[in-house]
Amino acid sequence: MEKNIKEKSLDRATLSVLNVAEKAGVRTVWDRYAAQSPQCGFGETGLCCRHCMQGPCRISPFEHGAKEGVCGANADVMVARGICRAVAGGTASHGGHAKHMAYTLLKSARGEAADYPIRDESKLKAVAARIGVKTEGRTINEIAADVAKIALADFSEKESPLTWAATTVTKGRVETFLKFGVVPTGIDSSVAESMHRTTYGVDADPVNILLGAIKCALADYSACHMATDLADILFGTPSPVVTQSNLGVLKKDAVNVALHGHNALLSDIVAQVAGEKELNEKAKAAGAKEGINVVGVCCTGNEVMMRHKIPLATSSVSQEAAIITGALDAMVVDYQCIMPSLAGIAECYHTQLITTMPIAKIPKALHIEFHEKNAKESARKIIETAIEAFKKRDAAKIQIPDVTSTAYAGFSTEAILGALALVNKEDPLKPLIDNIVAGNIYGVCLFAGCNTVKVTQDANYTAMIKELAKHNVLILATGCASGAFARHGFMTPEATEKYAGEGLKAVLTAVGKAAGLGGPLPLVLHMGSCVDNSRAADVAVAVANKLGVDLNMLPVVASAPEPVTEKAVAIGTWAVAAGLPTHLGVVPPVLGSKVVTGVLTSAAKDLFGGYFIVETDPVAAAGKLIAVMGERRKGLGLSA
Ligand code: BF8
Ligand code: SF4
């Protein structure tokens, strides 16, 4: 069914580009969604299986029709296997990202990657100390080599729990994970195990399959945490910056280069090189008065926003819009969340789509392969290609929406603790905990995940945040959730003034003033990309440890109001295992199984404390999360 244009997005800039696309006959993700509708009811409920060549098999959700696949797999098995494989897909993605980082760190330590010096020695030492690497009397490169080797050892099967899991969660969580046999002992091996147990004729116990999915999700958590740690070591731990977001950050008089994807190994280097005088002179000589303008898209956008103040052009479901402005000269991608459609859309414009990774090529894109050995050289080639593309611009097609919002970003765990230390130097967590106890902060909600074509873009985010802020809930955000909040001006002190309840406003103002902002902190603390959900976990773990309780007792919740990817499934699953009630604003493909639905939304609570709350109405969802935080507060003996 075709959506009317207003149902597609809440964002003015995206809507204006969609109008342009419609007139120009350029098909976008929304048109392709309409062409796919109605989508298959078997798939939507998780009731189809193609795991072997006797299939595809489908199970009828109604009284009549097949109740088993050819092999005898029933609805519960099919649905559980589907979820487990989705978690494995997400874990493989975050694992690939983290492993790429670990290899680069090792090469850096060995002097084989000159473009990747270690920029944050104190983070390196902190990580080393946490994972048991000796630092005293050793060179930075010796320490880095050991950290990298321990990281790489986390990928294959070990006899002990994953280092990045065991050293970053509460003791109570480790005990819970051991009790239910879900401690991961290898990131890649967990993915392999999930694929094995869900292949033809292996695990036929739906609950056991789901425990396998949780084990794999905890490997995903470890990979996310590792990717964050190693990115900080190589590129610096983010600290607060003020920048801009939305499509208006593209400049008519500059060579516009969008960085899209996930791994900072590509984007950080391109961001560095784009500032070089010689390249900017070349851009100016080509007619771009303002030189080179680098902008971000999706999680890579978050990475360079946090570390380089680079503006975020767009994210997720509206990525195609950046090209349709007619002003984007190159879109440079690495891997994950890059729509294959970009190549076709780029063909309608002068934009050069550039792929960079051996595992992520797109026909018709230019492939400039990116390696540690010559990263800067490749980055320069990429910028030069963008300058060449700029010369081919069609002035008649340029329509940049004049829409931007200010966004404060860069709230790493270290930055948050640093800001709190300005209030209480000896005990930085104390102001946070005191305010939770006093009820000025009712609870904490981490927003994560994507935008989906199934929901009006940003509608769930914006409705939920208003409700939660009013109830004094501290908001953290990562991934495309950050993009949504940035676009709508929620990452500003003004949003705090406008939307925060009195208690929350007072806390954010006190910390903001102590930090020299002269006003409150922004309403949403932007913690980074999707792998940086680990940063939010770190804050929760620190609070739990300080209070002497486990994570499943804290008034901390998570929400993915508009989720899309397998990575989001993996993250949501580890959030549940970590003890967090986790909201989904889109119904996942599980309704075909009562057993699976029951485990995920209810039984998980008895085992882990966390569970999924599926609610498609954003205001009702916020209400449910507030109620859950109230329950948790009561459990801690606090006012609800
Ligand atoms: O890892 S939020 S659409 S960009 S999956 Fe993708 Fe979803 Fe965005 Fe980042 Ni995360
Ligand atoms: Fe059908 Fe079983 Fe094969 Fe799946 S594994 S396709 S249910 S026969």
Side-chain angles (χ1 to χ4, degrees):
M1 208 180 20
E2 186 89 46
K3 280 190 174 187
N4 102 17
I5 194 148
K6 281 255 161 72
E7 289 170 334
K8 294 179 182 173
S9 177
L10 213 65
D11 173 44
R12 272 196 304 136
T14 304
L15 285 176
S16 101
V17 172
L18 288 179
N19 268 316
V20 171
E22 202 171 280
K23 282 187 200 133
V26 175
R27 283 167 61 79
T28 68
V29 64
W30 282 278
D31 300 308
R32 295 189 298 275
Y33 178 52
Q36 283 291 336
S37 301
Q39 287 176 308
C40 169
F42 294 103
E44 270 182 339
T45 48
L47 290 176
C48 78
C49 179
R50 288 191 296 109
H51 293 196
C52 86
M53 284 181 280
Q54 292 177 120
C57 297
R58 300 179 300 182
I59 287 180
S60 166
F62 306 111
E63 210 179 305
H64 302 292
K67 291 286 166 245
E68 294 167 336
V70 173
C71 67
N74 63 18
D76 300 325
V77 172
M78 248 183 221
V79 173
R81 287 198 304 210
I83 290 296
C84 189
R85 285 208 165 181
V87 171
T91 309
S93 309
H94 289 141
H97 173 162
K99 202 181 343 170
H100 197 169
M101 285 272 173
Y103 272 122
T104 305
L105 181 64
L106 186 61
K107 287 180 188 165
S108 168
R110 287 179 177 161
E112 295 164 10
D115 294 338
Y116 294 96
I118 286 153
R119 290 198 192 274
D120 193 338
E121 295 183 4
S122 66
K123 179 92 184 208
L124 173 68
K125 285 180 183 162
V127 172
R130 196 188 71 217
I131 64 174
V133 171
K134 243 185 79 210
T135 54
E136 243 183 62
R138 305 184 73 203
T139 66
I140 286 299
N141 282 345
E142 283 168 348
I143 300 167
D146 280 1
V147 167
K149 282 181 203 157
I150 292 176
L152 288 168
D154 260 0
F155 284 89
S156 31
E157 188 78 41
K158 307 199 303 184
E159 283 181 32
S160 52
L162 285 182
T163 304
W164 253 266
T167 60
T168 58
V169 298
T170 57
K171 268 202 188 127
R173 281 297 99 178
V174 174
E175 281 161 20
T176 303
F177 299 155
L178 282 168
K179 186 168 155 199
F180 298 115
V182 295
V183 177
T185 50
I187 297 170
D188 285 351
S189 64
S190 293
V191 175
E193 185 181 290
S194 295
M195 294 305 285
H196 180 189
R197 76 192 309 151
T198 55
T199 198
Y200 182 76
V202 184
D203 205 343
D205 176 339
V207 176
N208 202 42
I209 295 170
L210 290 175
L211 286 171
I214 287 173
K215 180 177 171 185
C216 192
L218 290 169
D220 182 83
Y221 161 78
S222 311
C224 287
H225 206 300
M226 184 190 291
T228 299
D229 284 341
L230 304 189
D232 284 354
I233 291 169
L234 286 169
F235 304 112
T237 302
S239 55
V241 294
V242 186
T243 181
Q244 297 291 315
S245 79
N246 219 336
L247 291 163
V249 303
L250 293 166
K251 293 182 184 167
K252 194 165 153 279
D253 293 321
V255 173
N256 292 308
V257 181
L259 301 174
H260 178 13
H262 284 80
N263 199 327
L265 288 173
L266 166 79
S267 54
D268 208 278
I269 299 289
V270 179
Q272 290 172 34
V273 162
E276 290 179 357
K277 198 168 163 229
E278 204 180 310
L279 286 172
N280 278 277
E281 290 306 325
K282 270 193 191 168
K284 285 178 189 165
K289 277 184 270 172
E290 294 194 51
I292 297 157
N293 179 39
V294 179
V295 301
V297 177
C298 283
C299 278
T300 243
N302 289 321
E303 297 275 355
V304 288
M305 188 184 202
M306 304 263 284
R307 295 197 181 87
H308 294 276
K309 258 179 103 160
I310 283 177
L312 186 73
T314 186
S315 49
S316 196
V317 80
S318 51
Q319 57 187 264
E320 297 165 322
I323 300 179
I324 302 169
T325 61
L328 187 63
D329 302 298
M331 185 173 258
V332 189
V333 305
D334 52 26
Y335 38 50
Q336 301 167 21
C337 304
I338 296 147
M339 289 188 203
S341 65
L342 293 179
I345 295 196
E347 269 196 322
C348 304
Y349 295 86
H350 74 291
T351 313
Q352 182 63 62
L353 180 66
I354 303 173
T355 53
T356 56
M357 295 292 152
I359 62 155
K361 296 187 178 179
I362 305 176
K364 294 187 185 153
L366 176 68
H367 190 71
I368 301 181
E369 204 149 297
F370 212 82
H371 292 290
E372 296 84 4
K373 262 195 188 151
N374 55 355
K376 283 199 172 162
E377 201 183 307
S378 308
R380 288 189 191 104
K381 202 166 151 198
I382 284 168
I383 300 280
E384 280 173 0
T385 307
I387 296 172
E388 285 309 308
F390 172 87
K391 295 177 188 167
K392 296 183 205 143
R393 270 193 192 181
D394 179 348
K397 285 188 177 170
I398 299 177
Q399 298 200 49
I400 306 172
D402 186 17
V403 183
T404 56
S405 300
T406 298
Y408 287 54
F411 292 92
S412 57
T413 313
E414 291 83 347
I416 292 176
L417 292 176
L420 291 168
L422 297 169
V423 180
N424 186 331
K425 196 164 169 233
E426 280 72 45
D427 195 352
L429 281 174
K430 193 167 184 298
L432 179 61
I433 289 172
D434 285 353
N435 279 299
I436 294 175
V437 170
N440 293 326
I441 295 176
Y442 192 71
V444 180
C445 181
L446 165 64
F447 278 96
C450 332
N451 286 123
T452 167
V453 79
K454 295 185 173 180
V455 172
T456 301
Q457 184 189 20
D458 301 340
N460 284 357
Y461 287 108
T462 51
M464 286 182 75
I465 193 173
K466 288 178 192 165
E467 290 298 310
L468 292 170
K470 201 160 62 186
H471 283 86
N472 298 308
V473 175
L474 179 67
I475 311 290
L476 312 176
T478 59
C480 291
S482 300
F485 291 135
R487 271 194 290 281
H488 295 276
F490 288 106
M491 289 183 169
T492 58
E494 292 74 28
T496 307
E497 300 281 7
K498 190 167 171 191
Y499 298 109
E502 288 310 313
L504 179 64
K505 197 183 294 178
V507 179
L508 293 177
T509 304
V511 181
K513 284 198 170 153
L517 289 181
L521 289 178
L523 184 64
V524 180
L525 301 183
H526 183 339
M527 299 196 84
S529 61
C530 281
V531 294
D532 293 334
N533 282 309
S534 64
R535 300 190 197 274
D538 281 351
V539 174
V541 167
V543 170
N545 285 340
K546 174 92 185 165
L547 287 173
V549 300
D550 199 0
L551 293 173
N552 60 336
M553 295 184 71
L554 298 179
V556 178
V557 299
S559 171
E562 305 177 17
V564 171
T565 64
E566 290 173 321
K567 290 181 292 173
V569 178
I571 291 171
T573 307
W574 65 249
V576 163
L580 271 52
T582 299
H583 162 248
L584 299 176
V586 172
V587 182
V590 298
L591 292 187
S593 163
K594 282 205 179 83
V595 171
V596 173
T597 308
V599 169
L600 298 179
T601 59
S602 165
K605 186 175 182 180
D606 302 328
L607 305 183
F608 298 99
Y611 54 98
F612 283 104
I613 299 166
V614 181
E615 176 55 70
T616 55
D617 177 323
V619 174
K624 286 181 181 176
L625 292 178
I626 291 165
V628 166
M629 286 184 259
E631 269 170 36
R632 293 260 172 120
R633 290 183 63 86
K634 266 193 218 153
L636 289 170
L638 307 176
S639 64

PDB file of all heavy atoms in Angstrom, residues 49-52 54-55 57 69-71 73 78 81 200, ligand 2:
ATOM      1  N   CYS A  49      10.618 -21.330   6.710  1.00  0.00           N
ATOM      2  CA  CYS A  49      11.982 -21.846   6.904  1.00  0.00           C
ATOM      3  C   CYS A  49      12.553 -22.264   5.561  1.00  0.00           C
ATOM      4  O   CYS A  49      11.888 -22.922   4.763  1.00  0.00           O
ATOM      5  CB  CYS A  49      11.954 -23.046   7.857  1.00  0.00           C
ATOM      6  SG  CYS A  49      13.598 -23.771   8.119  1.00  0.00           S
ATOM      7  N   ARG A  50      13.806 -21.868   5.327  1.00  0.00           N
ATOM      8  CA  ARG A  50      14.528 -22.288   4.113  1.00  0.00           C
ATOM      9  C   ARG A  50      15.881 -22.878   4.501  1.00  0.00           C
ATOM     10  O   ARG A  50      16.841 -22.752   3.763  1.00  0.00           O
ATOM     11  CB  ARG A  50      14.759 -21.081   3.186  1.00  0.00           C
ATOM     12  CG  ARG A  50      13.521 -20.571   2.488  1.00  0.00           C
ATOM     13  CD  ARG A  50      13.890 -19.564   1.402  1.00  0.00           C
ATOM     14  NE  ARG A  50      14.509 -18.376   1.961  1.00  0.00           N
ATOM     15  CZ  ARG A  50      15.788 -18.045   1.839  1.00  0.00           C
ATOM     16  NH1 ARG A  50      16.618 -18.805   1.169  1.00  0.00           N
ATOM     17  NH2 ARG A  50      16.245 -16.949   2.391  1.00  0.00           N
ATOM     18  N   HIS A  51      15.925 -23.500   5.671  1.00  0.00           N
ATOM     19  CA  HIS A  51      17.221 -23.985   6.138  1.00  0.00           C
ATOM     20  C   HIS A  51      17.683 -25.249   5.427  1.00  0.00           C
ATOM     21  O   HIS A  51      18.788 -25.702   5.671  1.00  0.00           O
ATOM     22  CB  HIS A  51      17.199 -24.205   7.660  1.00  0.00           C
ATOM     23  CG  HIS A  51      17.063 -22.930   8.443  1.00  0.00           C
ATOM     24  ND1 HIS A  51      17.339 -22.828   9.776  1.00  0.00           N
ATOM     25  CD2 HIS A  51      16.675 -21.688   8.063  1.00  0.00           C
ATOM     26  CE1 HIS A  51      17.120 -21.589  10.189  1.00  0.00           C
ATOM     27  NE2 HIS A  51      16.711 -20.888   9.159  1.00  0.00           N
ATOM     28  N   CYS A  52      16.823 -25.854   4.621  1.00  0.00           N
ATOM     29  CA  CYS A  52      17.308 -26.982   3.824  1.00  0.00           C
ATOM     30  C   CYS A  52      16.553 -27.027   2.496  1.00  0.00           C
ATOM     31  O   CYS A  52      15.603 -26.280   2.294  1.00  0.00           O
ATOM     32  CB  CYS A  52      17.161 -28.310   4.579  1.00  0.00           C
ATOM     33  SG  CYS A  52      15.535 -29.061   4.387  1.00  0.00           S
ATOM     34  N   GLN A  54      14.682 -29.279   1.279  1.00  0.00           N
ATOM     35  CA  GLN A  54      13.336 -29.872   1.248  1.00  0.00           C
ATOM     36  C   GLN A  54      12.274 -28.783   1.369  1.00  0.00           C
ATOM     37  O   GLN A  54      11.111 -29.000   1.115  1.00  0.00           O
ATOM     38  CB  GLN A  54      13.169 -30.874   2.390  1.00  0.00           C
ATOM     39  CG  GLN A  54      14.022 -32.101   2.202  1.00  0.00           C
ATOM     40  CD  GLN A  54      13.907 -33.049   3.373  1.00  0.00           C
ATOM     41  OE1 GLN A  54      13.507 -34.191   3.202  1.00  0.00           O
ATOM     42  NE2 GLN A  54      14.252 -32.588   4.561  1.00  0.00           N
ATOM     43  N   GLY A  55      12.746 -27.624   1.797  1.00  0.00           N
ATOM     44  CA  GLY A  55      11.852 -26.477   1.943  1.00  0.00           C
ATOM     45  C   GLY A  55      11.742 -25.732   0.636  1.00  0.00           C
ATOM     46  O   GLY A  55      12.163 -26.256  -0.398  1.00  0.00           O
ATOM     47  N   CYS A  57       9.514 -24.311   3.759  1.00  0.00           N
ATOM     48  CA  CYS A  57       8.351 -24.798   4.504  1.00  0.00           C
ATOM     49  C   CYS A  57       7.684 -23.634   5.207  1.00  0.00           C
ATOM     50  O   CYS A  57       8.345 -22.726   5.688  1.00  0.00           O
ATOM     51  CB  CYS A  57       8.791 -25.800   5.569  1.00  0.00           C
ATOM     52  SG  CYS A  57       9.543 -27.276   4.878  1.00  0.00           S
ATOM     53  N   GLY A  69       7.078 -28.341   9.434  1.00  0.00           N
ATOM     54  CA  GLY A  69       7.820 -28.370   8.186  1.00  0.00           C
ATOM     55  C   GLY A  69       8.033 -29.812   7.767  1.00  0.00           C
ATOM     56  O   GLY A  69       7.681 -30.750   8.507  1.00  0.00           O
ATOM     57  N   VAL A  70       8.630 -30.016   6.602  1.00  0.00           N
ATOM     58  CA  VAL A  70       8.840 -31.376   6.092  1.00  0.00           C
ATOM     59  C   VAL A  70       9.623 -32.227   7.091  1.00  0.00           C
ATOM     60  O   VAL A  70       9.334 -33.400   7.318  1.00  0.00           O
ATOM     61  CB  VAL A  70       9.561 -31.315   4.716  1.00  0.00           C
ATOM     62  CG1 VAL A  70       9.943 -32.709   4.236  1.00  0.00           C
ATOM     63  CG2 VAL A  70       8.687 -30.601   3.681  1.00  0.00           C
ATOM     64  N   CYS A  71      10.607 -31.620   7.754  1.00  0.00           N
ATOM     65  CA  CYS A  71      11.441 -32.385   8.703  1.00  0.00           C
ATOM     66  C   CYS A  71      10.752 -32.577  10.050  1.00  0.00           C
ATOM     67  O   CYS A  71      11.250 -33.302  10.902  1.00  0.00           O
ATOM     68  CB  CYS A  71      12.779 -31.686   8.909  1.00  0.00           C
ATOM     69  SG  CYS A  71      12.601 -30.107   9.761  1.00  0.00           S
ATOM     70  N   ALA A  73       9.932 -29.849  11.990  1.00  0.00           N
ATOM     71  CA  ALA A  73      10.117 -28.643  12.811  1.00  0.00           C
ATOM     72  C   ALA A  73       8.767 -27.958  12.982  1.00  0.00           C
ATOM     73  O   ALA A  73       8.058 -27.727  12.008  1.00  0.00           O
ATOM     74  CB  ALA A  73      11.111 -27.700  12.140  1.00  0.00           C
ATOM     75  N   MET A  78      10.808 -23.192  14.447  1.00  0.00           N
ATOM     76  CA  MET A  78      11.074 -22.305  13.312  1.00  0.00           C
ATOM     77  C   MET A  78      11.305 -20.869  13.765  1.00  0.00           C
ATOM     78  O   MET A  78      12.257 -20.214  13.342  1.00  0.00           O
ATOM     79  CB  MET A  78       9.863 -22.316  12.365  1.00  0.00           C
ATOM     80  CG  MET A  78      10.156 -22.965  11.052  1.00  0.00           C
ATOM     81  SD  MET A  78       8.707 -22.829   9.994  1.00  0.00           S
ATOM     82  CE  MET A  78       8.740 -24.464   9.284  1.00  0.00           C
ATOM     83  N   ARG A  81      14.556 -20.539  15.738  1.00  0.00           N
ATOM     84  CA  ARG A  81      15.724 -20.609  14.849  1.00  0.00           C
ATOM     85  C   ARG A  81      15.913 -19.298  14.102  1.00  0.00           C
ATOM     86  O   ARG A  81      17.040 -18.835  13.899  1.00  0.00           O
ATOM     87  CB  ARG A  81      15.560 -21.759  13.845  1.00  0.00           C
ATOM     88  CG  ARG A  81      15.726 -23.128  14.480  1.00  0.00           C
ATOM     89  CD  ARG A  81      15.987 -24.222  13.476  1.00  0.00           C
ATOM     90  NE  ARG A  81      14.987 -24.334  12.439  1.00  0.00           N
ATOM     91  CZ  ARG A  81      14.664 -25.474  11.836  1.00  0.00           C
ATOM     92  NH1 ARG A  81      15.265 -26.604  12.186  1.00  0.00           N
ATOM     93  NH2 ARG A  81      13.774 -25.490  10.876  1.00  0.00           N
ATOM     94  N   TYR A 200      19.735 -27.770   9.610  1.00  0.00           N
ATOM     95  CA  TYR A 200      18.836 -28.928   9.479  1.00  0.00           C
ATOM     96  C   TYR A 200      19.109 -30.003  10.530  1.00  0.00           C
ATOM     97  O   TYR A 200      20.222 -30.543  10.603  1.00  0.00           O
ATOM     98  CB  TYR A 200      18.997 -29.530   8.074  1.00  0.00           C
ATOM     99  CG  TYR A 200      18.101 -30.709   7.791  1.00  0.00           C
ATOM    100  CD1 TYR A 200      16.752 -30.513   7.518  1.00  0.00           C
ATOM    101  CD2 TYR A 200      18.599 -32.013   7.802  1.00  0.00           C
ATOM    102  CE1 TYR A 200      15.917 -31.584   7.256  1.00  0.00           C
ATOM    103  CE2 TYR A 200      17.771 -33.091   7.536  1.00  0.00           C
ATOM    104  CZ  TYR A 200      16.425 -32.871   7.269  1.00  0.00           C
ATOM    105  OH  TYR A 200      15.596 -33.929   7.007  1.00  0.00           O
TER     106      TYR A 200
HETATM  107 FE1  SF4 B   2      11.522 -27.398   5.982  1.00  0.00          FE
HETATM  108 FE2  SF4 B   2      12.805 -28.503   8.054  1.00  0.00          FE
HETATM  109 FE3  SF4 B   2      14.102 -27.925   5.798  1.00  0.00          FE
HETATM  110 FE4  SF4 B   2      13.229 -25.953   7.358  1.00  0.00          FE
HETATM  111  S1  SF4 B   2      14.787 -27.473   7.888  1.00  0.00           S
HETATM  112  S2  SF4 B   2      13.109 -26.053   5.133  1.00  0.00           S
HETATM  113  S3  SF4 B   2      11.336 -26.827   8.149  1.00  0.00           S
HETATM  114  S4  SF4 B   2      12.467 -29.410   6.049  1.00  0.00           S
END
